[in-house]
Amino acid sequence: MSQKTIYVLNGPNLNLLGMREPEIYGRDTLADIESRCVALLEGTDFGLVFRQSNHEGQLVDWIQEARTEADALILNPAAYTHTSVALYDALKALSIPIIECHLSNPHARETFRHHSYVSLAANGVIAGFGAIGYELAIRAILSQVK
């Protein structure tokens, strides 16, 4: 049985997770989240590609790469959620499950955060559960991708 791959892509400022506004985003670092995701996939036929970039074009490149290299995508686009037509267009080229993931609940925050371009292309959205949201996204993918 060949290994399947889940891409987990993270947008701007998530490299500062655990240090930047912990009252909103929590104290877990991105490395902590990655470790828990890897542990969750132990014993499955899924591997994980876990990345972060502050640059929109890099995220677009990785989304395009996922088109041929991944079996599912979890994306925390961070601030690009609300601004990036480029991410939306790249996501529309995928035929794999896409889960949009947010640490906080954008709908409980400032009005400008209520709109998501990414949601228009995603199969589902997980928001407001903090770092555990990534684990919930993986569980959703495991239930969808056989």
Side-chain angles (χ1 to χ4, degrees):
M1 186 179 312
S2 66
Q3 188 175 50
K4 296 175 179 68
T5 303
I6 299 171
Y7 270 41
V8 180
L9 303 179
N10 296 279
N13 297 309
L14 290 170
N15 56 307
L16 299 176
L17 201 56
M19 297 174 282
R20 177 180 165 257
E21 299 182 278
E23 67 281 0
I24 295 174
Y25 302 110
R27 300 208 179 277
D28 290 309
T29 67
L30 212 50
D32 295 334
I33 294 170
E34 180 179 7
S35 293
R36 287 200 301 276
C37 290
V38 168
L40 186 59
L41 290 173
E42 285 180 13
T44 72
D45 61 342
F46 283 85
L48 190 72
V49 172
F50 197 99
R51 298 175 176 159
Q52 185 277 331
S53 179
N54 292 323
H55 305 282
E56 184 178 31
Q58 180 64 74
L59 291 165
V60 168
D61 288 345
W62 289 337
I63 291 168
Q64 290 177 359
E65 179 184 303
R67 195 171 70 73
T68 58
E69 302 299 319
D71 297 283
L73 172 66
I74 297 168
L75 175 61
N76 183 343
Y80 290 138
T81 303
H82 324 290
T83 62
S84 182
V85 175
L87 290 183
Y88 167 75
D89 285 347
L91 292 167
K92 292 298 288 180
L94 300 183
S95 60
I96 59 175
I98 301 164
I99 298 181
E100 180 181 355
C101 185
H102 296 282
L103 295 157
S104 67
N105 178 356
H107 298 286
R109 297 184 62 198
E110 303 93 337
T111 304
F112 72 86
R113 296 185 193 275
H114 296 180
H115 175 75
S116 169
Y117 286 101
V118 172
S119 291
L120 298 171
N123 297 83
V125 179
I126 297 174
F129 295 101
I132 198 171
Y134 286 82
E135 296 169 65
L136 296 172
I138 286 179
R139 289 184 187 282
I141 286 169
L142 293 175
S143 75
Q144 290 182 355
V145 178
K146 304 295 181 212

